[in-house]
Amino acid sequence: MSHLEKTVSNIVHPAAHISWRLATATLLVMSSMSAMAAPQMQVGVLLPGSKADGGWMESGYSGVTTAQKAFGPQLKTQLIENINYADMEQALTNLAIKNQLVIGIGGQTQAAILKVAKRFPQVKFSIVGGNQIPNMPSNVAGYDVKQAQIAFVAGAAAAMLTKTGKISYVGGMEIPSIVNAGKEFANGAHYINPKIEEMSTFTGDFDNVSKAHEATLAAISQGADIHYHILNLGLKGLEQAAKEKNTHIIGSYTDRCGTNPLYLAYTITGVGYQVQYAIEQLSKGTWQPGYKAFGLAMGPKASGMKICKSTPDMDKKITQIEQDILSGKIKVSEG
């Protein structure tokens, strides 16, 4: 620009300078507002199954949505669901690239997380349903839901609710935590009534509806009228069998009493609670790696039992059993 052009600009267009200053101020305000709205936390969540399975995965997803409501625009979540084992490492890698914290919902994510975490030491990883293992990476936290504890309590409830004296348990994969839950379900029933007959079946797949249906029908054919489970989408098959044969279920993970007549009781396993816990710890700057036990010791949001139409005697027995587990008077399996 020539000297003349500069002079003309300064004299002839004073309003332009005012407009420019206003525009600059507006941009600064907008930039400030944008910074305020920018998420302070970026969290990736891996759901191996469906967020609408009515079980573990849905409970975990409810924890994500609850946290999102609580933190609003401060929290940005990225969700990947329905991932098989072969693709799990890649899915976790994609989440680790973009997020500060990655949460794997289910113990089946643990092996892949332990591998991926080594490649992303600056990213935090939380495993909901994690086990205690030696030499856990310094950026990984394992949250143990203590399913065996509440399975014992569920067995006690089943013994109080059965009319035939026969009950069943259907688990997905035959891994230690799922096997232990079935074992303690039987132990809890026998604690109330040693004559109770308990039948356990493992379908080998948390999401196989037809196998869960067949396993439940087989138990019903032997007289079982109350069913407990650790299943994801496979729960649909258990529900179908119970509905066909007019038997009943003790649900897992979430208290939904009054929503489905098939269910006489629910255990609370706190899957969603652990998701919220991880995010809250991140927000406070208090997130810690390593193993952490949840279960009954962490209160009713983490673990509990709800009999939908209980009696005072039932409630008293359940409360006492929970207290005896916490005190160590009743010993249950780990995991």
Side-chain angles (χ1 to χ4, degrees):
M1 182 181 290
S2 68
H3 176 73
L4 179 60
E5 288 172 328
K6 290 179 182 177
T7 303
V8 171
S9 174
N10 289 335
I11 296 174
V12 179
H13 303 292
H17 290 277
I18 296 171
S19 177
W20 180 84
R21 286 195 295 270
L22 287 172
T24 302
T26 302
L27 284 170
L28 289 170
V29 171
M30 290 176 65
S31 176
S32 177
M33 291 175 64
S34 176
M36 290 173 62
Q40 297 174 6
M41 297 181 290
Q42 293 179 297
V43 177
V45 180
L46 178 64
L47 282 171
S50 167
K51 64 185 179 184
D53 67 354
W56 178 286
M57 299 297 157
E58 186 170 318
S59 178
Y61 179 66
S62 72
V64 177
T65 57
T66 300
Q68 190 66 73
K69 289 176 183 177
F71 288 103
Q74 296 178 27
L75 171 64
K76 180 181 179 182
T77 54
Q78 180 186 2
L79 179 74
I80 298 178
E81 65 173 326
N82 289 316
I83 294 295
N84 60 40
Y85 290 97
D87 298 326
M88 208 168 281
E89 283 188 42
Q90 184 59 55
L92 288 165
T93 299
N94 292 342
L95 291 173
I97 289 170
K98 300 177 181 178
N99 296 284
Q100 302 160 267
L101 169 68
V102 175
I103 303 173
I105 300 183
Q108 62 267 50
T109 68
Q110 180 163 295
I113 281 179
L114 293 176
K115 290 181 181 179
V116 174
K118 293 177 182 178
R119 304 204 305 269
F120 295 91
Q122 78 285 3
V123 177
K124 298 174 175 64
F125 294 82
S126 290
I127 306 163
V128 174
N131 298 322
Q132 190 168 16
I133 61 169
N135 303 316
M136 184 175 282
S138 61
N139 59 331
V140 178
Y143 301 154
D144 188 349
V145 298
K146 293 286 185 182
Q147 288 184 112
Q149 285 185 348
I150 202 60
F152 186 101
V153 183
M160 297 180 210
L161 294 168
T162 180
K163 294 179 179 178
T164 64
K166 298 179 181 182
I167 61 178
S168 76
Y169 167 80
V170 181
M173 292 183 68
E174 199 168 351
I175 56 179
S177 61
I178 309 305
V179 172
N180 287 342
K183 172 185 170 183
E184 295 304 341
F185 176 69
N187 288 342
H190 295 148
Y191 186 83
I192 295 295
N193 181 358
K195 295 182 179 180
I196 291 286
E197 291 185 37
E198 189 272 344
M199 293 154 261
S200 291
T201 307
F202 302 92
T203 65
D205 188 333
F206 293 109
D207 297 309
N208 192 305
V209 174
S210 64
K211 286 184 178 180
H213 180 252
E214 291 169 9
T216 308
L217 285 179
I220 292 170
S221 71
Q222 298 177 64
D225 65 340
I226 301 291
H227 319 290
Y228 185 55
H229 72 92
I230 296 183
L231 297 167
N232 295 336
L233 204 60
L235 175 59
K236 306 298 182 186
L238 188 153
E239 289 180 332
Q240 183 181 348
K243 187 174 182 180
E244 289 170 4
K245 300 298 182 180
N246 195 31
T247 58
H248 293 91
I249 305 168
I250 294 178
S252 296
Y253 315 122
T254 307
D255 173 9
R256 294 194 178 95
C257 280
T259 62
N260 188 331
L262 285 176
Y263 289 83
L264 299 184
Y266 289 89
T267 58
I268 298 161
T269 318
V271 179
Y273 174 76
Q274 291 185 35
V275 173
Q276 293 174 62
Y277 176 87
I279 295 172
E280 286 171 1
Q281 294 301 299
L282 179 68
S283 74
K284 295 174 182 177
T286 56
W287 183 95
Q288 293 289 328
Y291 171 81
K292 183 174 179 62
F294 281 72
L296 293 169
M298 288 290 284
K301 290 184 179 180
S303 188
M305 184 77 227
K306 175 68 175 179
I307 299 175
C308 299
K309 295 181 180 180
S310 65
T311 65
D313 183 55
M314 287 179 176
D315 290 339
K316 183 178 178 181
K317 287 179 180 178
I318 293 296
T319 299
Q320 188 62 57
I321 287 169
E322 291 178 347
Q323 290 174 353
D324 287 347
I325 291 173
L326 283 173
S327 71
K329 184 177 179 180
I330 295 175
K331 299 188 183 299
V332 300
S333 305
E334 290 295 324

